[in-house]
Amino acid sequence: MSVCCFAGHRDAEETIRPILDESIKWHILTKGVTEFLVGTYGNFDRMASASVLERKKEYPYLRLTLLVAYPPARKRNFLSGYDQMIYPEGLELVPPRFAIPALNRYMLEKSDYLIAFVKRNWGGAAQTLKNARRPEGQGNLVVTNLGEKLERNISG
């Protein structure tokens, strides 16, 4: 049983949804991923949640965990269908402006795989991708960046 998390730009275009769906299914079928960790802080997170929820219809054993960076009382609207919601212990000690980066580090520590959509080298998603790729960072975390895959398909 493996765990996969997501990181992507808040303004990710809906046009990437087919390649995201394909990548999630590939991770399930070839890598044995059974649990997915996702936030709700942008369009990429929303697409990832929706895609995993669709896959759960085919593979009911999958688990989808919502990670929140702020106390649950402050998180009003999120999709139903999550198996659990986690507000990591100790996150209440982190200043609010650093809560999402801290949550992203937590997510990487708990995961075996990262599906990312990063096309630019600035912002939270780009920093999470950099953290995931640090050799001393997250152990054996395997990274798939859909942003790079799309660039290769367009240019080559």
Side-chain angles (χ1 to χ4, degrees):
M1 290 190 257
S2 298
V3 178
C4 181
C5 62
F6 301 94
H9 301 303
R10 291 176 188 248
D11 59 352
E13 308 90 11
E14 296 288 330
T15 56
I16 68 156
R17 177 69 191 269
I19 194 170
L20 175 60
D21 292 344
E22 181 183 302
S23 184
I24 290 170
K25 192 166 185 172
W26 184 84
H27 279 81
I28 294 166
L29 296 176
T30 65
K31 298 301 180 184
V33 171
T34 57
E35 184 170 356
F36 293 89
L37 308 177
V38 66
T40 58
Y41 301 102
N43 203 38
F44 185 75
D45 286 348
R46 280 189 285 282
M47 285 190 285
S49 292
S51 183
V52 173
L53 288 170
E54 282 295 312
R55 300 296 76 72
K56 283 181 71 158
K57 292 175 186 174
E58 296 173 75
Y59 311 102
Y61 58 86
L62 296 178
R63 294 186 46 82
L64 178 59
T65 299
L66 174 68
L67 299 176
V68 294
Y70 306 103
R74 289 179 57 184
K75 191 70 197 159
R76 293 182 202 94
N77 299 325
F78 58 88
L79 298 171
S80 61
Y82 293 97
D83 295 292
Q84 66 180 334
M85 179 174 69
I86 294 177
Y87 175 63
E89 186 175 327
L91 205 55
E92 71 279 2
L93 303 174
V94 175
R97 66 182 252 193
F98 299 118
I100 292 174
L103 184 70
N104 289 342
R105 286 189 300 276
Y106 169 89
M107 174 181 70
L108 294 176
E109 291 170 5
K110 302 295 182 191
S111 298
D112 302 297
Y113 298 92
L114 167 66
I115 298 174
F117 177 67
V118 177
K119 295 192 319 183
R120 51 187 181 253
N121 61 2
W122 51 270
Q127 186 58 52
T128 300
L129 182 61
K130 286 177 193 169
N131 290 343
R133 288 183 166 162
R134 286 193 181 133
E136 76 283 356
Q138 310 307 323
N140 296 321
L141 186 68
V142 178
V143 176
T144 301
N145 182 6
L146 303 178
E148 291 171 355
K149 285 185 172 214
L150 286 173
E151 287 296 314
R152 279 195 297 263
N153 289 344
I154 292 169
S155 58

